[in-house]
């Protein structure tokens, strides 16, 4: 074998080893960068979830503070109209429902709920709903106007 041939073979071998070393170093660097990217992604995801939670609370509180008074007044107007058998009571009820306000209308036999019901007669002590005299209204979990019910003891 000639000296040139051995030098060329050594050069090729050295080049292949250098390529393998560079390839290995590049793969290691890519793996590190990928790991860094995944860690940064998880941090961003965590901050996004926290921000979403804060925005949801802000929206809920803003809607409650801005609309709470207005919704309560509309619910009270609805009750007045129902008491007077006003022909617009049905339409106002639809408007309230469209605005996301839910009616509270307990059925005969339901358990008395102190949070959302009011007794028609304060001398009643029963814990079972006999009749819903006037429906109530709520916005989300906030009571705007309690349902007026009569009760009996089981």
């Amino acid at each position: 074998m000639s000296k040139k041939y051995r030098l060329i073979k050594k050069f090729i071998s050295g080049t292949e080893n250098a390529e393998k070393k560079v390839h290995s170093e590049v793969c290691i660097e890519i793996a590190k960068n990928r790991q860094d990217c995944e860690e940064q992604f998880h941090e961003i995801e965590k901050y996004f979830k926290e921000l979403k939670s804060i925005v949801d609370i802000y929206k809920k509180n803003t809607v409650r503070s801005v609309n709470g008074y207005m919704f309560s007044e509309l619910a009270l107007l609805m009750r007045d109209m129902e008491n007077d058998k006003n022909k617009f009571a049905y339409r106002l009820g639809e408007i309230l429902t469209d605005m996301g306000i839910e009616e509270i209308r307990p059925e005969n036999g339901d358990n008395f709920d102190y949070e959302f019901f009011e007794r028609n007669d304060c001398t009643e002590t029963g814990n079972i709903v006999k009749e819903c005299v006037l429906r109530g209204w709520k916005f989300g979990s906030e009571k705007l106007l309690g349902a007026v019910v009569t009760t009996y003891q089981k």
Side-chain angles (χ1 to χ4, degrees), residues 47-62:
Y47 291 130
F48 177 76
K49 287 178 181 176
E50 289 174 9
L51 181 61
K52 183 182 181 315
S53 174
I54 291 168
V55 168
D56 287 345
I57 291 168
Y58 175 77
K59 273 182 14 186
K60 182 179 178 182
N61 289 337
T62 301

Side-chain angles (χ1 to χ4, degrees), residues 6-16:
R6 276 185 264 145
L7 285 174
I8 291 172
K9 191 172 180 180
K10 187 176 180 182
F11 176 76
I12 291 173
S13 176
T15 304
E16 288 174 351

Side-chain angles (χ1 to χ4, degrees), residues 108-123:
N108 184 359
D110 287 351
N111 288 328
F112 185 83
D113 183 341
Y114 289 91
E115 185 177 357
F116 292 105
F117 303 163
E118 300 168 11
R119 286 190 168 78
N120 190 41
D121 182 350
C122 61
T123 62

Side-chain angles (χ1 to χ4, degrees), residues 46-97:
K46 182 179 107 180
Y47 291 130
F48 177 76
K49 287 178 181 176
E50 289 174 9
L51 181 61
K52 183 182 181 315
S53 174
I54 291 168
V55 168
D56 287 345
I57 291 168
Y58 175 77
K59 273 182 14 186
K60 182 179 178 182
N61 289 337
T62 301
V63 167
R64 183 179 298 143
S65 64
V66 171
N67 296 331
Y69 174 75
M70 179 182 67
F71 289 166
S72 294
E73 289 299 308
L74 285 171
L76 193 54
L77 175 62
M78 177 69 196
R79 177 163 293 165
D80 291 344
M81 290 173 73
E82 281 181 318
N83 282 336
D84 293 340
K85 307 283 191 250
N86 189 306
K87 65 181 178 179
F88 297 109
Y90 175 77
R91 181 67 187 125
L92 181 57
E94 285 182 337
I95 291 169
L96 291 174
T97 302

Side-chain angles (χ1 to χ4, degrees), residues 12-30:
I12 291 173
S13 176
T15 304
E16 288 174 351
N17 287 339
E19 285 178 359
K20 288 178 185 176
K21 184 176 179 184
V22 168
H23 182 267
S24 175
E25 289 173 0
V26 167
C27 286
I28 290 170
E29 191 64 31
I30 289 172

